[in-house]
Amino acid sequence: MGKICVIGSVNMDLVVQTPHWPSPGETVTGSGFMTVPGGKGANQAIAAARLGGEVRMLARVGADAFGRQLLENLSAAGVQCDDVRVVDGVASGVAVITVCDGENEIVLDPGANHSLTPDDVREFEHHIRDAEMLLVQLEVPLPVVTAAIELAQSVGTPVLLNPAPALALDHDLLSRVTVLTPNEGEAALLAGLSREDASAEELLDVLQSYGVQTVCITQGARGITYRHGGLETEQRSAVSVEVVDTTAAGDVFSGALAVALTEGALFDDAAAFAQNAAAIAVTRAGATPSIPTRAEVESFHA
Ligand code: RIB
């Protein structure tokens, strides 16, 4: 069982289906409102735990009803939550999500997620040192992400960074990342190139020139393009499934990739495992409820 630490966000997702995206000033009648536990950090932690990792998380929730539900949901999925603390006087992170034809738009209020500090990361050091991989995203403050990546590198723990939501990052920080899993928009922003004009090959060239060991660009229904070390660029098509909701697909991909890599899988096999896990997730509604178990991914593969 791979030991994985996750430092990241925990949100309650307020989800509604819409027949079309509203224009400014327009009200659209939607349907199917749900409150669903989510947050990129929590989704990745739960994906890693359900898929067989031994997962410990560092995070913050508010002292409110959402915070209690979010904590229970993480624990029920098998994530070790001693370092997921409740912060008084701050609301839990909330994401307002509209889903239209399977695609989503998200507005995030980070709330308690922004109470996390670099000192909290330093207190968590022995867990990072003990882990076989650290998994981070960008929904907690950047100084926290920076402290986590620098600390992991100093103690020799590989880092998987899912650079979402999109944010331009320092090249020095990227040089400390072992595996980077951007989507195409995030890859273009990090590389300083235009998403429309740059090819995946060009994006990989620039991102690897910063020193990232492995870059794997997720391209939705078109699959993934990756380069591992100095090797050839590889492309893997997506598994074709009936899409219900793509929310958390990238999170499931990153969580699953971390599990397979910490189990010693070759990168191509780990990527195939992660693609299968994400393919199952998009056939279901919501963030954490859509995350498959290990047995489901194995039978899907078979
Ligand atoms: O990646 C999906 C997640 O992004 C949602 O669960 C939502 O909370 C936002 O953080």
Side-chain angles (χ1 to χ4, degrees):
M1 224 190 217
K3 276 192 182 176
I4 297 166
C5 276
V6 180
I7 298 182
S9 59
V10 188
N11 302 326
M12 188 58 86
D13 293 351
L14 311 183
V15 189
V16 68
Q17 305 285 328
T18 181
H20 65 267
W21 308 113
S23 308
E26 183 187 0
T27 300
V28 178
T29 301
S31 59
F33 174 71
M34 314 182 278
T35 52
V36 187
K40 295 185 195 304
N43 297 340
Q44 294 182 22
I46 290 176
R50 284 201 188 139
L51 294 168
E54 186 182 326
V55 183
R56 179 177 283 273
M57 186 168 191
L58 171 64
R60 295 291 180 261
V61 295
D64 50 22
F66 284 167
R68 283 190 292 281
Q69 278 174 262
L70 293 168
L71 248 171
E72 273 164 27
N73 187 59
L74 277 167
S75 298
V79 176
Q80 178 18 270
C81 289
D82 285 355
D83 299 286
V84 182
R85 304 215 179 112
V86 176
V87 187
D88 281 329
V90 191
S92 293
V94 164
V96 177
I97 304 183
T98 42
V99 179
C100 181
D101 289 333
E103 295 299 327
N104 63 66
E105 279 190 353
I106 303 181
V107 179
L108 172 72
D109 179 346
N113 293 301
H114 274 202
S115 308
L116 211 53
T117 67
D119 279 344
D120 297 324
V121 173
R122 287 187 271 277
E123 256 181 56
F124 195 67
E125 171 176 348
H126 53 293
H127 298 303
I128 297 177
R129 187 185 288 276
D130 235 27
E132 285 149 81
M133 186 163 277
L134 171 71
L135 197 43
V136 270
Q137 324 73 33
L138 301 175
E139 279 184 347
V140 292
L142 189 55
V144 170
V145 175
T146 304
I149 293 175
E150 287 179 355
L151 206 152
Q153 196 204 23
S154 73
V155 298
T157 300
V159 176
L160 189 158
L161 172 65
N162 172 231
L167 192 65
L169 294 174
D170 194 79
H171 300 177
D172 175 65
L173 185 67
L174 287 169
S175 74
R176 300 167 193 265
V177 170
T178 322
V179 181
L180 187 71
T181 56
N183 65 21
E184 288 168 299
E186 290 150 4
L189 182 74
L190 291 175
L193 298 174
S194 137
R195 179 185 175 151
E196 284 69 39
D197 302 336
S199 65
E201 196 77 32
E202 286 168 320
L203 293 171
L204 292 173
D205 281 345
V206 175
L207 294 174
Q208 282 207 314
S209 75
Y210 300 155
V212 188
Q213 223 175 78
T214 301
V215 181
C216 178
I217 303 176
T218 56
Q219 299 163 302
R222 283 178 292 116
I224 56 173
T225 302
Y226 70 87
R227 205 185 290 149
H228 183 48
L231 303 175
E232 296 281 287
T233 301
E234 304 285 346
Q235 218 280 330
R236 291 187 57 89
S237 313
V239 190
S240 166
V241 288
E242 187 111 348
V243 176
V244 171
D245 180 2
T246 57
T247 308
D251 299 331
V252 174
F253 182 85
S254 289
L257 192 64
V259 170
L261 291 175
T262 54
E263 288 179 1
L266 293 176
F267 195 85
D268 197 58
D269 296 334
F273 176 74
Q275 280 185 298
N276 287 340
I280 297 173
V282 301
T283 65
R284 302 169 178 172
T288 63
S290 72
I291 300 170
T293 61
R294 178 75 172 236
E296 287 174 316
V297 177
E298 280 167 0
S299 75
F300 180 84
H301 179 73

